[in-house]
């Protein structure tokens, strides 16, 4: 457990967001210490607009995965610091476990061919790739390219889940309201926390993120090139069958009059990727990044809409089997297989998020901290020892995100209000209405819990 905590201070938005442009001319950049959590929440997460945060990983332990090399300029006496992969340190801190690898040279069912290999074998491959970049013999280079199509990318690696005691990074405050990982970690389920490691030239095909979630990606070393499309612009790329392309480039996007952004993400920068923004990512240099997928009150309605739309597609696909026994159950099974979650999974997540916030509010988890916080405007971080043991509840009763962040009371109220709104929408869904025994009953129980156990403003 961390020795200090930060309050996630969320306030009623002071800016009329309707007067702001839907999308900026360029993706903005902010030093992570110069934009407040509240401003990030309302200006970017709530509006579903991308942004880059700088100087994010400066104090992360995984900075040790990188080593600095001083290179002298050949024309003068000045020197520059260059960074490279610290393979020895990676082997020292991380076991030789199996890791997921994509072969960017082989397309497989609209994705890259995937396999597993030992971590140290991947590092050896990577070192060899770097050595080949310095090969000057044209014959050797030509032979290598003709004899191998392998371009391996270690991606979607659940390193933190596999090594829970290795604190190699710290979730930035701005991304701390993460209902997806909050629920999964609390229930000892899966997680959506990943490490990516790839040589120069590796890439991820054109896609939008799982569930239509938010994502954040922080470069530990290297440069990534992003092509990002606002929601709906991807439809301009559909072929006659409604299929999207496997890969894109600026020329294709311009030919189809697509509104898009090109971004070069540098070392020590985090990119916030909003819901439903299709994107393609390529590693301009050798790159390591830490990534999360997540959702919260800002994009909860989008997640529900994506889930219900996917359910309609599943039902249409097997409509000729509608007379079979347990048709809806079969559809839910297929929905989970194709989308990653089904209706019951989603309801259980909402129940978990609701319960944790109601318990926290009933125990005044953040109120004492928030009161003291507003009295001490000089900082948002306070040592654990400064908390009064008589005036604040035990740590076990607090709502704490990633062992470090505590939402204020307004934040929890706002979360719960958004859940009520989505549950109201869910109660209009025909699939839920048809399943009165399980899905409809659970939604009704959840709404009753919210409206009877919390505050009157939830009823308005």
């Amino acid at each position: 457990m961390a020795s200090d905590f930060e309050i996630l201070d969320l306030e009623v938005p002071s800016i009329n967001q309707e007067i702001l442009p839907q999308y900026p001319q360029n993706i903005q950049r902010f030093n992570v210490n110069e934009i407040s959590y509240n401003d990030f929440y309302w200006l970017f997460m709530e509006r579903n607009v991308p942004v880059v945060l700088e100087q994010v990983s400066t104090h992360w332990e995984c900075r040790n995965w990188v080593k600095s090399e001083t290179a002298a300029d050949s024309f003068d006496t000045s020197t520059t610091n260059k960074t490279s992969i610290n393979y020895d340190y990676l082997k020292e801190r991380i076991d030789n476990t199996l890791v997921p690898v994509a072969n960017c040279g082989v397309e497989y069912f609209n994705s890259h061919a995937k396999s597993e290999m030992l971590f140290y074998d991947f590092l050896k491959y990577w070192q060899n790739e770097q050595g080949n970049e310095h090969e000057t013999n044209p014959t050797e280079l030509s032979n290598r390219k003709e004899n191998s199509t392998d371009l391996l990318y270690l991606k979607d690696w659940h390193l933190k889940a596999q090594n829970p005691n290795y604190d190699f990074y710290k979730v930035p405050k701005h991304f701390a309201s993460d209902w997806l990982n909050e629920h999964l970690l609390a229930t000892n389920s899966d997680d959506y926390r990943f490490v990516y490691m790839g040589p120069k030239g590796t890439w991820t095909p054109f896609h939008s993120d799982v569930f239509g979630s938010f994502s954040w990606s922080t470069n530990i070393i290297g440069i990534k090139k992003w092509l990002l499309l606002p929601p709906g612009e991807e439809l301009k790329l559909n072929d006659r069958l409604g299929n999207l392309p496997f890969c894109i480039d600026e020329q294709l996007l311009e030919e189809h009059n697509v509104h898009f952004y090109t971004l070069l993400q540098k070392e020590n920068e985090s990119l916030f990727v909003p819901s439903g923004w299709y994107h393609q990512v390529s590693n301009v240099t050798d790159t390591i990044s830490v990534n999360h997928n997540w959702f919260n009150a800002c994009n909860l309605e989008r997640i529900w809409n994506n889930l219900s739309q996917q359910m309609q597609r599943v039902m249409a696909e097997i409509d000729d089997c509608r007379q079979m026994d347990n048709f809806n159950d079969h559809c839910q099974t297929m929905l989970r297989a194709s989308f990653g979650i089904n209706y019951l999974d989603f309801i259980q997540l909402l129940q978990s998020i609701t319960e944790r916030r109601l318990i926290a509010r009933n125990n005044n988890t953040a109120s004492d901290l928030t009161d003291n916080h507003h009295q001490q405007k000089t900082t948002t971080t306070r040592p654990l020892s400064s908390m009064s043991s008589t005036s604040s509840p035990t740590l076990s009763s607090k709502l704490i995100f990633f062992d470090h962040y505590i939402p204020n009371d307004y934040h929890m109220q706002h979360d719960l209000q958004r859940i009520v709104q989505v549950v109201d929408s869910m109660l209009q869904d025909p699939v839920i209405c048809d399943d009165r025994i399980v899905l409809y009953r659970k939604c009704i129980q959840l709404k009753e819990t919210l409206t009877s156990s919390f505050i009157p403003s939830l009823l308005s």
Side-chain angles (χ1 to χ4, degrees):
M1 178 72 68
S3 60
D4 54 27
F5 297 95
E6 289 186 69
I7 302 297
L8 297 183
D9 259 333
L10 190 65
E11 302 171 356
V12 176
S14 58
I15 300 175
N16 181 1
Q17 298 182 31
E18 294 182 357
I19 67 174
L20 299 174
Q22 183 177 14
Y23 302 118
Q25 183 175 357
N26 298 295
I27 295 176
Q28 294 178 274
R29 278 183 157 88
F30 294 90
N31 184 296
V32 70
N33 298 312
E34 295 176 357
I35 179 170
S36 69
Y37 176 81
N38 188 68
D39 285 347
F40 175 79
Y41 191 98
W42 293 116
L43 294 177
F44 297 101
M45 281 200 296
E46 177 69 12
R47 294 177 59 233
N48 208 44
V49 173
V51 66
V52 173
L53 302 182
E54 303 170 330
Q55 303 299 315
V56 172
S57 64
T58 302
H59 302 294
W60 291 4
E61 196 278 343
C62 59
R63 297 300 311 168
N64 293 306
W65 298 356
V66 177
K67 58 184 178 182
S68 298
E69 300 172 342
T70 302
D73 191 298
S74 58
F75 298 102
D76 57 40
T77 58
S78 64
T79 60
T80 57
N81 287 327
K82 296 183 177 180
T83 55
S84 61
I85 311 299
N86 192 338
Y87 294 102
D88 291 336
Y89 189 83
L90 285 168
K91 291 179 180 179
E92 177 184 329
R93 291 308 310 262
I94 302 173
D95 291 336
N96 190 24
T97 185
L98 285 173
V99 294
V101 174
N103 189 341
C104 298
V106 180
E107 182 178 349
Y108 183 77
F109 287 100
N110 208 34
S111 184
H112 287 140
K114 295 179 175 63
S115 62
E116 289 186 326
M117 65 189 301
L118 289 171
F119 181 49
Y120 295 173
D121 288 343
F122 174 79
L123 294 181
K124 182 178 179 180
Y125 158 81
W126 197 355
Q127 287 179 291
N128 289 338
E129 281 290 299
Q130 289 179 323
N132 287 323
E133 286 183 9
H134 300 292
E135 177 61 63
T136 57
N137 186 316
T139 302
E140 291 295 330
L141 282 172
S142 178
N143 289 339
R144 172 179 169 268
K145 291 179 179 179
E146 290 178 1
N147 295 330
S148 176
T149 59
D150 289 347
L151 185 56
L152 304 184
Y153 193 3
L154 194 169
K155 58 189 301 188
D156 298 328
W157 184 16
H158 296 261
L159 177 59
K160 181 59 179 176
Q162 294 175 5
N163 297 268
N165 295 322
Y166 182 23
D167 295 324
F168 58 92
Y169 74 103
K170 175 184 174 183
V171 174
K173 171 176 63 179
H174 305 76
F175 309 141
S177 179
D178 175 348
W179 295 9
L180 180 59
N181 287 297
E182 176 189 341
H183 168 67
L184 293 175
L185 295 175
T187 55
N188 295 315
S189 303
D190 201 357
D191 75 317
Y192 285 84
R193 303 170 297 168
F194 307 108
V195 168
Y196 282 51
M197 297 184 179
K200 174 183 177 180
T202 49
W203 61 291
T204 300
F206 187 55
H207 71 287
S208 67
D209 286 319
V210 60
F211 312 135
S213 63
F214 293 148
S215 66
W216 62 262
S217 176
T218 302
N219 278 3
I220 308 306
I221 184 174
I223 299 173
K224 289 180 182 287
K225 178 182 178 181
W226 294 75
L227 296 174
L228 299 114
L229 282 62
E233 290 295 307
E234 76 282 357
L235 300 177
K236 298 177 182 179
L237 300 174
N238 280 343
D239 64 17
R240 293 179 179 178
L241 298 177
N243 298 315
L244 290 170
F246 178 65
C247 61
I248 60 171
D249 57 27
E250 287 97 330
Q251 181 179 344
L252 176 68
L253 297 175
E254 290 169 355
E255 289 174 351
H256 286 77
N257 197 30
V258 173
H259 179 201
F260 70 97
Y261 297 84
T262 300
L263 175 76
L264 289 180
Q265 178 195 9
K266 297 173 286 187
E267 181 174 317
N268 205 9
E269 292 185 340
S270 281
L271 172 64
F272 166 65
V273 182
S275 285
W277 282 63
Y278 273 76
H279 51 279
Q280 181 173 291
V281 193
S282 56
N283 292 324
V284 179
T285 65
D286 292 337
T287 305
I288 298 177
S289 65
V290 176
N291 299 32
H292 278 207
N293 291 104
W294 94 104
F295 55 81
N296 58 28
C298 293
N299 61 341
L300 183 65
E301 184 175 0
R302 292 187 181 92
I303 303 299
W304 161 245
N305 288 337
N306 292 338
L307 179 62
S308 61
Q309 289 168 13
Q310 182 64 22
M311 182 61 169
Q312 293 304 312
R313 286 191 283 268
V314 167
M315 295 176 72
E317 185 174 334
I318 61 170
D319 187 64
D320 56 341
C321 301
R322 187 174 290 273
Q323 300 306 316
M324 70 187 297
D325 292 339
N326 301 318
F327 173 76
N328 285 337
D329 291 342
H330 287 290
C331 289
Q332 294 289 348
T333 299
M334 292 180 63
L335 178 62
R336 181 184 285 155
S338 63
F339 191 74
I341 57 174
N342 63 19
Y343 277 35
L344 185 58
D345 299 328
F346 187 68
I347 292 170
Q348 290 173 340
L349 183 146
L350 296 183
Q351 290 173 326
S352 172
I353 296 300
T354 297
E355 180 181 359
R356 288 166 57 82
R357 279 148 185 75
L358 290 178
I359 291 173
R361 276 303 295 265
N362 291 338
N363 286 284
N364 298 317
T365 61
S367 59
D368 292 311
L369 291 175
T370 305
D371 290 343
N372 290 332
H373 162 70
H374 286 300
Q375 295 169 14
Q376 302 177 24
K377 281 294 185 180
T378 57
T379 179
T380 58
T381 305
R382 299 202 294 113
L384 180 63
S385 58
S386 69
M387 301 179 192
S388 168
S389 60
T390 59
S391 62
S392 68
T394 63
L395 287 178
S396 62
S397 68
K398 296 185 184 302
L399 180 61
I400 303 173
F401 302 150
F402 298 108
D403 294 337
H404 191 74
Y405 304 104
I406 299 178
N408 67 1
D409 283 354
Y410 175 77
H411 201 318
M412 290 187 284
Q413 172 184 330
H414 173 71
D415 286 353
L416 293 168
Q417 287 173 328
R418 286 292 173 89
I419 294 174
V420 169
Q421 293 170 6
V422 169
V423 171
D424 282 340
S425 296
M426 294 170 69
L427 286 169
Q428 305 303 312
D429 183 87
V431 174
I432 289 179
C433 291
D434 287 345
D435 187 353
R436 295 274 168 168
I437 296 177
V438 179
L439 298 180
Y440 187 85
R441 179 178 296 179
K442 285 185 177 295
C443 287
I444 288 293
Q445 290 173 343
L446 178 56
K447 183 172 182 180
E448 289 176 347
T449 297
L450 283 160
T451 55
S452 65
S453 302
F454 200 54
I455 59 177
S457 63
L458 284 175
L459 298 171
S460 60

